[in-house]
Amino acid sequence: MSPLILDEPYSFESQPNKERRRSISAGSTSNPWAGIALCDLYVGAAAQVCDDGSGCVEVGLSIHDGTYSVDFCVHRICPASKESVADALKMSAKDNIDRFCEEHHGKFVGAGITTTIVKLCPDIAAFMWRELDVAVMAFDVETEMPSAFSTDGAPIQVGVDEQADSAVRKAITNYGPHNMPALSIGFRNRVEVDNSGRIELVHSLDEYEKTVSKQTWQCVMNYVNELKKEKVKIAFFSATPQGGGVALMRHALIRFLRLAGVNASWYIPKPNPKVFRITKTNHNILQGVAAPDARFGPEQQKMFNDWINYNATRYWLSPGGPLAAGGADVVIIDDPQMPGLIPLIKETRPEVKIIYRSHIEIRSDLVEIPGSPQEEVWHFLWERIKQADVFISHPVNSFVPRTVPVEIVGLMPAATDWLDGLNKPMRDWDLRYYHHMLRNECHNIGMNRLDYPQREYIVQIARFDPSKGLPTVLDGYRKLRALYAEKSPGRPTPQLLVCGHGAIDDPDASIIYDEVLEHLDGPDFDDIRADIVVMRLGPSDQLLDALITTAKIVWQLSSREGFEVKVSEALHKGKPVIATRAGGIPLQVRDGHSGYLVKVGDSDAVAQKSYELLNDEKKLAEMGQNAKNSVSDEVGTVGNAVAWMFLAAKLARGDKLKPNTRWIADMVREEVGCGWGEEEVKLPRGGLKVVGGTEMVG
């Protein structure tokens, strides 16, 4: 039951101008879905309990377009029978925002609320994120002015409309380009997740608990309680705070651990473009996809060392820093850019336990060739990594060179978060907004337009990287269109969308993007070029969420791969995935059940399987349902968190940790005494040869 609005002394009065209404009306006829732009809006909200003993609440809302205040309203809410004030506030917020959006054809992208509202309704921020796709920030605002400013010596009460306007203006200052909350980097280059906690996407652990099995949650709470009791301090170090899988995982992990009360923090170095060019080249060398003449010579090695030493000395090793005395008990080095920290930590604080996580494929066969670029890079890195206590690897064949002792290697997949902007369910209204955002970005650079929902589409979402199989993607689509022309002339054909985010440590992206467009300029694509959309996108997680949500099928045609959790994200949305047998992809896709697996580079098989699936609605629906039910807790934030907490707890106790290429998730279950239930989805085990030809245990 909706709350009763007893009084509305000030209602919204603004209306779209005539030209705006005309364009909306015309667009609604010609292109009724994503063709119509939604205005970007911000909302401020304030509330105070009425002092007449009625139990009612006076609420003020202020609407802002990012530059000007455009409207406001003040109304009084009284909860209905058996309705709490908190529920009444949430329903009122949803009703008002939905109505304003429809009348003004707008989309609220951010909100500022007062801490008074948070006291009345503690979970309103998470509610608005989940139900309205609005990121909410809470602020203290003045509720009264000092008596010195009044004529009678009494304090001046600030109305809820003025409080709301103050809150929304404060919120807007925390937003950057693309209407994204500005990244917050604090003292000592600590990443302050969710704007230093001011943004709340998830209010309680109950929300996380609903995303996993009861067995996983039992394990989670076991280690949460231990780490809190023992006051263990955990510090993660990686190269970048935004862009790419590592940053996405760390934002989600720190958010969860903070909510659970575990002392975990995340640090990044000061970026250096020259060094990032070197580290990206090293990445490509280790994967075997770099230019033949690419090397990691003495000059590059010195620059790399100097960069690490500078950052460690300036930010982390000085008194009070995370690597100084009294700092972290367990350190996780999360990137091949950062292993130079390991000897510095061991020299300064030998008691600190260190975990190194290797998340890129290292061509063991090439590493073993004396004098090869791979041997050169790996030798340099291993001289530093070998001082770590544990070596965590993706569960992928030949992912770890033979020089790494088997006993220190543990297996852990990458992860994604089911409650953040990449994966949460979204309303049709919000899907329209993000599809229009894509259209605008395409228009700005003269790219072809995605015509959904008039036409279906296939999507591959990945960074523009030499290992992502982009030539296979284009050739697979060309051959798919040839199959349509041969077998189903006149039948509607899907478009192709190839897109992904960038990252500040990935200077190759522009080069690879240009190579893709050059490939597309070939004569073989003359007849279908207009149906292919290739885009580098801004840093909006919800945009990627929307593009997977509305896709017909998803491709992931990498030539070299780590784990690529984008596959599980697509499966989680019920999308069949056609992917290559590269890296950890075969662990996620069950061939013929939740999608199809093909050989690397086999564009013929990609086209054939896609054609069969797109022309068999029954099979498509069946595979989609199978996909939705095939995702393991191991690839979600909660499952990932329990693995890290287990490692931290074991090392902080002083236990000898020898995984011997076992899955960390299995070691967790064994120690807690909580086996895998028959109803649980578990990534395939056995048969892997992770360390240069050594078969995995278990």
Side-chain angles (χ1 to χ4, degrees):
M1 181 181 295
S2 297
L4 177 63
I5 298 179
L6 294 179
D7 186 22
E8 194 167 22
Y10 298 98
S11 59
F12 291 128
E13 295 182 353
S14 63
Q15 294 182 356
N17 61 47
K18 290 181 179 180
E19 179 59 26
R20 171 72 173 159
R21 291 199 299 271
R22 186 203 63 77
S23 64
I24 289 171
S25 177
S28 297
T29 302
S30 62
N31 197 346
W33 203 70
I36 306 168
L38 301 181
C39 301
D40 296 333
L41 297 169
Y42 298 84
V43 60
Q48 60 188 21
V49 177
C50 298
D51 58 7
D52 57 7
S54 63
C56 298
V57 177
E58 187 180 45
V59 176
L61 299 177
S62 177
I63 310 299
H64 210 287
D65 65 4
T67 303
Y68 302 108
S69 178
V70 297
D71 209 345
F72 80 101
C73 78
V74 176
H75 56 267
R76 198 179 192 210
I77 296 174
C78 286
S81 177
K82 297 183 180 179
E83 182 182 38
S84 68
V85 170
D87 287 342
L89 283 170
K90 285 187 285 189
M91 290 305 100
S92 174
K94 188 175 188 306
D95 291 345
N96 275 286
I97 287 175
D98 283 344
R99 186 170 69 251
F100 197 92
C101 284
E102 290 181 15
E103 291 176 355
H104 294 75
H105 227 74
K107 166 72 171 78
F108 284 95
V109 296
I113 63 175
T114 65
T115 51
T116 302
I117 283 189
V118 176
K119 292 174 183 175
L120 294 170
C121 182
D123 65 334
I124 193 167
F127 171 84
M128 291 178 65
W129 168 251
R130 183 176 64 249
E131 300 294 329
L132 300 167
D133 187 44
V134 177
V136 179
M137 302 182 191
F139 299 94
D140 287 316
V141 301
E142 297 288 347
T143 59
E144 61 179 31
M145 299 298 291
S147 59
F149 295 101
S150 68
T151 56
D152 59 3
I156 302 173
Q157 298 301 311
V158 178
V160 289
D161 56 328
E162 190 174 346
Q163 294 178 42
D165 192 64
S166 177
V168 71
R169 286 186 284 105
K170 287 175 183 287
I172 290 168
T173 63
N174 287 277
Y175 277 78
H178 306 283
N179 295 316
M180 296 293 296
L183 197 64
S184 180
I185 307 299
F187 185 49
R188 299 189 185 278
N189 274 24
R190 173 172 162 164
V191 182
E192 304 293 356
V193 172
D194 296 337
N195 205 261
S196 301
R198 184 174 283 125
I199 297 173
E200 183 178 83
L201 305 185
V202 185
H203 178 65
S204 75
L205 291 177
D206 292 344
E207 294 176 65
Y208 284 109
E209 184 177 4
K210 294 173 184 176
T211 68
V212 295
S213 70
K214 63 180 185 297
Q215 294 94 329
T216 297
W217 195 251
Q218 178 184 341
C219 296
V220 165
M221 296 314 298
N222 179 82
Y223 292 108
V224 165
N225 293 333
E226 178 177 347
L227 292 172
K228 289 167 66 176
K229 179 182 177 182
E230 300 300 326
K231 299 181 179 179
V232 176
K233 298 187 287 292
I234 306 168
F236 291 85
F237 289 84
S238 62
T240 62
Q242 196 171 42
V246 173
L248 289 168
M249 285 192 292
R250 289 302 149 257
H251 278 281
L253 179 64
I254 297 299
R255 181 182 303 125
F256 172 77
L257 293 178
R258 182 180 63 205
L259 189 60
V262 174
N263 188 338
S265 51
W266 171 27
Y267 299 88
I268 58 158
K270 182 180 179 182
N272 183 314
K274 295 191 293 295
V275 172
F276 284 158
R277 174 69 273 175
I278 293 168
T279 59
K280 182 59 180 177
T281 299
N282 285 349
H283 183 139
N284 293 340
I285 288 172
L286 291 172
Q287 287 192 311
V289 295
D293 60 346
R295 306 294 297 206
F296 183 48
E299 182 180 347
Q300 290 86 358
Q301 292 177 18
K302 181 180 185 303
M303 192 178 300
F304 185 91
N305 281 331
D306 290 346
W307 175 66
I308 287 290
N309 290 334
Y310 166 80
N311 280 279
T313 303
R314 177 174 178 179
Y315 299 117
W316 308 318
L317 289 172
S318 57
L323 301 181
D329 304 300
V330 179
V331 169
I332 293 98
I333 306 296
D334 216 2
D335 271 322
Q337 289 98 321
M338 305 293 289
L341 277 180
I342 298 174
L344 295 177
I345 298 169
K346 288 297 185 181
E347 179 182 344
T348 306
R349 291 181 61 206
E351 76 281 5
V352 172
K353 303 300 181 183
I354 301 174
I355 303 168
Y356 176 76
R357 176 177 174 267
S358 177
H359 67 90
I360 64 168
E361 181 182 13
I362 300 170
R363 288 285 302 275
S364 299
D365 55 335
L366 300 178
V367 163
E368 294 178 5
I369 300 175
S372 68
Q374 290 76 21
E375 190 269 344
E376 180 179 61
V377 173
W378 176 246
H379 176 77
F380 177 91
L381 296 178
W382 177 241
E383 284 300 306
R384 290 147 181 81
I385 295 168
K386 68 183 181 181
Q387 298 181 52
D389 299 278
V390 181
F391 187 106
I392 294 297
S393 167
H394 282 327
V396 176
N397 279 323
S398 302
F399 210 70
V400 180
R402 208 184 304 271
T403 47
V404 181
V406 172
E407 61 269 18
I408 71 168
V409 177
L411 305 184
M412 188 191 305
T416 189
D417 193 276
W418 308 127
L419 303 178
D420 70 7
L422 280 172
N423 297 290
K424 66 173 183 170
M426 285 197 289
R427 307 170 302 164
D428 183 75
W429 190 268
D430 299 321
L431 294 174
R432 289 171 58 183
Y433 172 81
Y434 291 110
H435 268 269
H436 190 83
M437 179 188 292
L438 174 67
R439 289 192 180 188
N440 281 345
E441 293 194 21
C442 291
H443 176 77
N444 288 342
I445 65 167
M447 177 53 65
N448 304 320
R449 190 180 77 179
L450 194 67
D451 288 327
Y452 181 86
Q454 284 74 24
R455 295 181 66 183
E456 304 286 359
Y457 65 95
I458 299 164
V459 66
Q460 169 157 316
I461 293 180
R463 289 203 293 183
F464 287 89
D465 183 281
S467 65
K468 295 301 180 181
L470 297 172
T472 306
V473 173
L474 297 181
D475 291 341
Y477 181 71
R478 175 175 56 81
K479 292 173 181 178
L480 172 63
R481 290 295 295 269
L483 286 174
Y484 269 93
E486 175 189 347
K487 298 182 178 182
S488 305
R491 187 180 179 93
T493 54
Q495 290 181 277
L496 173 67
L497 172 62
V498 183
C499 61
H501 286 336
I504 63 174
D505 67 334
D506 186 6
D508 277 349
S510 295
I511 298 170
I512 303 304
Y513 180 79
D514 289 342
E515 289 177 359
V516 171
L517 295 183
E518 186 177 342
H519 187 111
L520 194 55
D521 279 339
D524 289 344
F525 294 92
D526 285 346
D527 294 335
I528 62 172
R529 188 178 298 115
D531 290 336
I532 300 173
V533 181
V534 182
M535 284 295 296
R536 292 182 68 189
L537 301 176
S540 169
D541 291 346
Q542 293 100 303
L543 176 56
L544 298 187
D545 186 347
L547 296 177
I548 294 179
T549 296
T550 52
K552 198 70 171 178
I553 59 175
V554 173
W555 285 356
Q556 189 60 57
L557 305 181
S558 304
S559 56
R560 295 282 173 183
E561 197 51 86
F563 187 78
E564 191 44 87
V565 79
K566 272 278 170 284
V567 171
S568 283
E569 291 174 358
L571 295 172
H572 189 258
K573 292 184 181 300
K575 304 297 176 181
V577 177
I578 296 175
T580 49
R581 297 181 183 274
I585 292 174
L587 297 176
Q588 302 170 76
V589 178
R590 185 174 162 190
D591 190 27
H593 182 75
S594 57
Y596 291 110
L597 293 171
V598 302
K599 293 180 180 178
V600 169
D602 191 348
S603 56
D604 291 317
V606 171
Q608 185 63 44
K609 293 299 184 184
S610 298
Y611 180 82
E612 292 173 6
L613 197 52
L614 290 167
N615 289 279
D616 186 342
E617 287 294 333
K618 182 179 178 181
K619 184 68 172 176
L620 186 69
E622 180 184 306
M623 272 198 170
Q625 191 58 45
N626 293 340
K628 191 176 294 187
N629 297 328
S630 68
V631 180
S632 171
D633 285 353
E634 298 169 89
V635 300
T637 292
V638 178
N640 183 256
V642 73
W644 287 118
M645 288 192 292
F646 162 80
L647 292 169
K650 290 278 285 185
L651 291 171
R653 290 179 213 147
D655 293 353
K656 290 291 184 181
L657 190 53
K658 303 295 182 184
N660 198 32
T661 67
R662 294 185 64 195
W663 290 68
I664 301 302
D666 292 341
M667 298 177 70
V668 168
R669 295 296 181 100
E670 182 180 293
E671 181 171 87
V672 177
C674 179
W676 291 92
E678 290 184 7
E679 77 285 358
E680 290 188 276
V681 177
K682 182 181 175 183
L683 294 174
R685 306 294 202 253
L688 290 174
K689 298 181 179 180
V690 179
V691 182
T694 301
E695 187 162 349
M696 186 192 76
V697 175

